[in-house]
Amino acid sequence: MTETISYKEQINTDNLPEHIAIIMDGNGRWAKAQGKHRIFGHKNGVKAVREATEGCAEIGVRFLTLYAFSTENWNRPKTEVSALMELLFLTIGREIKTLQKNNIKLNVIGNIQSLPESNRKAIKEVMEATKNNTRMTLTLALSYGAREELIEATKAIATAYKEEKISIEDIDHQRISNSLYTKNMPDPALMIRTSGEHRISNFLLWQMAYTELYFTEKLWPEFSRNDLFKAICEYQQRERRFGKTSEQINEQFITNNLPKE
Ligand code: FPP
């Protein structure tokens, strides 16, 4: 029998990724492997959502962003889209108590206007109810596409320029970051994608410029809290250089950790 390693104890809580983004992939394949309908996979995916959310909150991750429905997902069969929307609606309503109990704030990014009215209402209610929670922010990317987000940001900046509120020189990294749906969040330090696919799929394109990417063969419904901790352990083994050399990073580390006078 193979023994499962427990990764939680190996995590260095002084070096946690402040923001983790996840592409939850493989629900359909997981269901198919058991001879079930794709929707069965999505329903079981909700359990993994809970695992990841609780796991992040438990160790002190401040932001978790889940790619729950992309702009491209509207092209799926109508029955699957409706079932996903209903599942989202039910889950958001059902989880409000857990979010409150765990002091988690719910946030949603994406083209919210394109969602059914019932979903918009449920999202608004839960966001309002959890707005003062401070332990962690759980963001659901719904009807989200990074290119659409960048188009919206570009339009907002162009309008501000046209109305002479800003000059060309004011268009910098900060201006663009502040024009995105994610304006109040740090960029993800770690992005996890399940199911063995090695793609970013129109997710947080601007924000992931320096994100560490982690891919696992596990299908989303079987992704456990321990799998999340394993990904965090691997992240902690990596050296984030942001274009600098290893020597510069080590020097910076020493300087930052010198005893204060
Ligand atoms: C990708 O698997 C998953 C989705 C498109 C939907 C994710 C939704 C959930 C996990 C359920 C509800 C979520 C929340 C946040 C309450 P896929 O269908 O593309 O799988 P496949 O690649 O195997 O076909």
Side-chain angles (χ1 to χ4, degrees):
M1 217 175 80
T2 50
E3 207 177 308
T4 315
I5 304 167
S6 173
Y7 287 95
K8 191 179 170 190
E9 297 72 36
Q10 297 183 30
I11 293 176
N12 171 6
T13 47
D14 291 332
N15 181 27
L16 286 174
E18 191 183 12
H19 181 179
I20 299 180
I22 306 185
I23 301 182
M24 311 181 286
D25 198 9
N27 292 350
R29 276 165 282 167
W30 183 83
K32 207 174 156 199
Q34 328 208 7
K36 298 270 173 57
H37 194 275
R38 298 176 55 82
I39 312 296
F40 183 71
H42 298 314
K43 284 186 179 158
N44 280 274
V46 176
K47 288 183 199 154
V49 167
R50 210 171 289 129
E51 281 278 295
T53 308
E54 288 173 3
C56 283
E58 191 180 308
I59 59 168
V61 171
R62 299 298 316 275
F63 295 87
L64 172 65
T65 300
L66 303 175
Y67 204 4
F69 194 86
S70 71
T71 41
E72 290 74 23
N73 286 152
W74 289 114
N75 299 322
R76 292 194 172 194
K78 268 204 175 76
T79 47
E80 182 170 344
V81 171
S82 312
L84 265 171
M85 286 301 146
E86 198 188 332
L87 186 60
L88 282 163
F89 170 75
L90 291 175
T91 309
I92 290 169
R94 210 179 279 148
E95 297 299 324
I96 183 163
K97 277 202 199 100
T98 319
L99 293 173
Q100 295 293 44
K101 199 175 88 198
N102 291 293
N103 193 14
I104 297 170
K105 176 172 162 176
L106 182 82
N107 179 35
V108 172
I109 56 172
N111 181 5
I112 314 300
Q113 290 316 312
S114 63
L115 298 171
E117 168 64 24
S118 53
N119 285 50
R120 293 210 302 269
K121 196 163 167 273
I123 289 166
K124 209 172 146 206
E125 276 170 22
V126 182
M127 279 176 66
E128 179 60 30
T130 61
K131 71 176 182 204
N132 294 321
N133 291 348
T134 52
R135 186 180 183 190
M136 188 177 91
T137 300
L138 168 66
T139 299
L140 300 182
L142 290 175
S143 191
Y144 173 86
R147 288 185 169 181
E148 288 68 19
E149 180 181 35
L150 284 163
I151 291 169
E152 288 306 312
T154 309
K155 284 183 185 167
I157 294 170
T159 306
Y161 175 73
K162 196 171 146 202
E163 292 172 355
E164 297 182 2
K165 289 183 181 144
I166 59 165
S167 67
I168 291 289
E169 288 67 39
D170 292 327
I171 304 172
D172 56 10
H173 286 210
Q174 205 56 45
R175 171 82 47 190
I176 296 178
S177 291
N178 287 343
S179 306
L180 301 171
Y181 301 136
T182 50
K183 59 173 173 272
N184 297 319
M185 288 188 235
D187 288 341
L190 169 66
M191 192 284 283
I192 300 170
R193 181 172 189 152
T194 56
S195 93
E197 305 291 356
H198 295 183
R199 282 190 295 279
I200 294 182
S201 299
N202 204 13
F203 189 39
L204 304 174
L205 296 182
W206 171 271
Q207 299 88 334
M208 289 213 280
Y210 285 103
T211 300
E212 293 297 327
L213 307 181
Y214 177 90
F215 300 100
T216 167
E217 293 295 319
K218 284 263 176 110
L219 302 172
W220 179 248
E222 60 195 12
F223 188 79
S224 68
R225 200 176 296 222
N226 198 41
D227 292 320
L228 169 83
F229 296 154
K230 184 180 176 191
I232 295 173
C233 285
E234 180 174 318
Y235 161 85
Q236 294 187 329
Q237 299 302 314
R238 298 191 192 171
E239 183 182 58
R240 302 191 75 203
R241 291 199 292 274
F242 301 96
K244 293 185 180 170
T245 66
S246 226
E247 290 72 21
Q248 285 174 301
I249 297 295
N250 290 334
E251 209 170 288
Q252 202 175 313
F253 179 80
I254 294 167
T255 315
N256 291 346
N257 288 284
L258 280 177
K260 306 262 179 302
E261 292 196 1

